[in-house]
Amino acid sequence: MTETQQPSSAPAATHSEATANAALANHKRRKGRTGAVARILPFILCAGALFLIVRHDPSLLAWAKAWPRLVHPLLRMLLYLGIGLLVGLAVEGMGWAPMLARMVRPLMRFGNLRDESGAAFTAAFFSGTTANTMLMNYWQDGRITQQEMRLSYLVNTGLPVFLLHLPTTFFIVVPMTRTAGIIYLSINAVAALARTIAVLAWSRIRLAAAAGLPQATAAMPESRKTTLQKVLDAFRKRFKRIVTITAPVYFLMYALNQTGVFEQLRDAFSHWAVTGLLPVEAAGVVVFSVAAEFTSGIAAAGALLDAGTLTTQQIVLALILGTIVATPIRALRHQLPSHAGVFTPRLGLVMLLQSQFIRIASLLAVTWIYLALA
């Protein structure tokens, strides 16, 4: 009986080895293409930024202008990215990830997400950079798929991001706009919760369909604690890659901003958003929110509310529209460089655009419900 089984087992083993070798070869080819792009892309981005600046205003490269507008903000961003990366590597290397995963395991099980995603979800309440770094590390290590990484990222951009920024936002919005500010924050909170639940439900369908059965059936293995030296070695290696991508992307964003590209986008979107929807006075709130910073829009809304020029509902609608129009543009300016560094430039851009689309859709849906019930 054994003799008759041996001939059939050999082809099976050969087929399995061939499949593994083909997968390994494909992985090496993809890695080679990615490495080539990573080496060339920074030069292309820097060349494009230099071309725009030299054509528009070469004095933007002078130290007096470059330090406050480019160098100092870039160094601050890299500092935050470095801290987030170091914390993410420490959480994984020191064996803390399983503890973080256990805190949200039932929620992750609902979305068929692994404990690795749960650990990143918990970390997202404290640092988005740390959570993104953990997800990228898990994907590179083969512990989660790219699809799960992208779904986990979208889950993290819902309620965790909202609660992370809530303390600062609350003490800016509520004192200036009172009831309107509370309603505005409530709409954002419901939209953030709805995003998280919706993505988890979609993840439950997608991941189960991809594998034919729920993926999140096994708990995260207890991480083996590593040494501080190994954590620092991994940090130096990965931070170097982040810097080589983040700095050129940030340089290009600086060039686009200084040459007026984002200003033209803001003007076009702000006028489009208020056409026929709000009174002229409320349109000013949207324009301030888009053209300046968030606090300027809140201050304008508070002044109009105190003067009795606009109703509470009109203020809420103006703030929501200002947020919808301004946030995607700010995300491209401020978040794209870090996303391109932590992930890959293409993947970071796609994930950022997806998160902004879902954010706008959820805000519109919740605002529509508010207006229907008000």
Side-chain angles (χ1 to χ4, degrees), residues 15 34 236 269:
H15 176 72
T34 303
R236 282 192 291 267
F269 281 121

Side-chain angles (χ1 to χ4, degrees), residues 15-132:
H15 176 72
S16 177
E17 291 176 0
T19 303
N21 291 334
L24 181 61
N26 290 332
H27 175 73
K28 289 182 177 180
R29 282 195 295 269
R30 288 195 301 268
K31 188 175 181 180
R33 288 195 296 267
T34 303
V37 171
R39 288 189 295 269
I40 297 173
L41 185 61
F43 295 100
I44 297 175
L45 295 174
C46 290
L50 284 172
F51 172 78
L52 290 173
I53 290 176
V54 171
R55 184 178 180 183
H56 178 74
D57 183 6
S59 67
L60 292 171
L61 296 175
W63 184 252
K65 292 184 178 181
W67 167 253
R69 301 178 185 178
L70 172 63
V71 180
H72 184 262
L74 176 58
L75 291 177
R76 184 176 56 199
M77 172 180 285
L78 292 176
L79 174 63
Y80 291 150
L81 282 174
I83 293 173
L85 174 62
L86 187 60
V87 171
L89 292 172
V91 166
E92 182 181 358
M94 298 302 176
W96 301 332
M99 177 187 66
L100 296 177
R102 283 194 293 270
M103 298 171 62
V104 292
R105 185 171 291 163
L107 187 64
M108 295 296 104
R109 289 291 186 266
F110 171 77
N112 283 335
L113 295 170
R114 301 176 191 271
D115 277 355
E116 285 79 1
S117 296
F121 178 80
T122 305
F125 286 93
F126 307 98
S127 170
T129 301
T130 300
N132 292 341

Side-chain angles (χ1 to χ4, degrees), residues 2 14 20 63 67 77 143 153 163 173 180-182 198 211 223 237 251 275 289 297 305 314:
T2 304
T14 303
W63 184 252
W67 167 253
M77 172 180 285
R143 297 165 67 174
Y153 165 81
L163 293 177
V173 174
I182 294 175
S223 301
K237 180 180 178 181
F251 187 27
T275 302
S289 298
L305 189 62
Q314 288 172 333

Side-chain angles (χ1 to χ4, degrees), residues 112-114 145 147-148 206-208 210-211 213-218:
N112 283 335
L113 295 170
R114 301 176 191 271
T145 64
Q147 184 180 44
E148 183 169 352
R206 291 295 301 170
L207 295 182
L213 48 84
Q215 291 191 8
T217 55

Side-chain angles (χ1 to χ4, degrees), residues 156-190:
N156 295 349
T157 57
L159 196 60
V161 169
F162 172 79
L163 293 177
L164 177 64
H165 297 99
L166 179 60
T168 302
T169 308
F170 180 87
F171 288 106
I172 293 176
V173 174
V174 175
M176 292 186 182
T177 55
R178 298 180 297 282
T179 302
I182 294 175
I183 296 173
Y184 166 76
L185 290 178
S186 299
I187 290 175
N188 277 273
V190 173

Side-chain angles (χ1 to χ4, degrees), residues 86 89-90 92-95 224-236:
L86 187 60
L89 292 172
E92 182 181 358
M94 298 302 176
R224 295 181 179 179
K225 295 184 179 180
T226 186
T227 63
L228 178 60
Q229 186 59 46
K230 290 183 178 180
V231 171
L232 293 177
D233 290 341
F235 169 78
R236 282 192 291 267

Side-chain angles (χ1 to χ4, degrees), residues 279-285 300-312 314-315:
V280 176
E281 296 83 0
V285 176
L304 292 172
L305 189 62
D306 290 338
T309 306
L310 297 175
T311 65
T312 297
Q314 288 172 333
I315 290 291

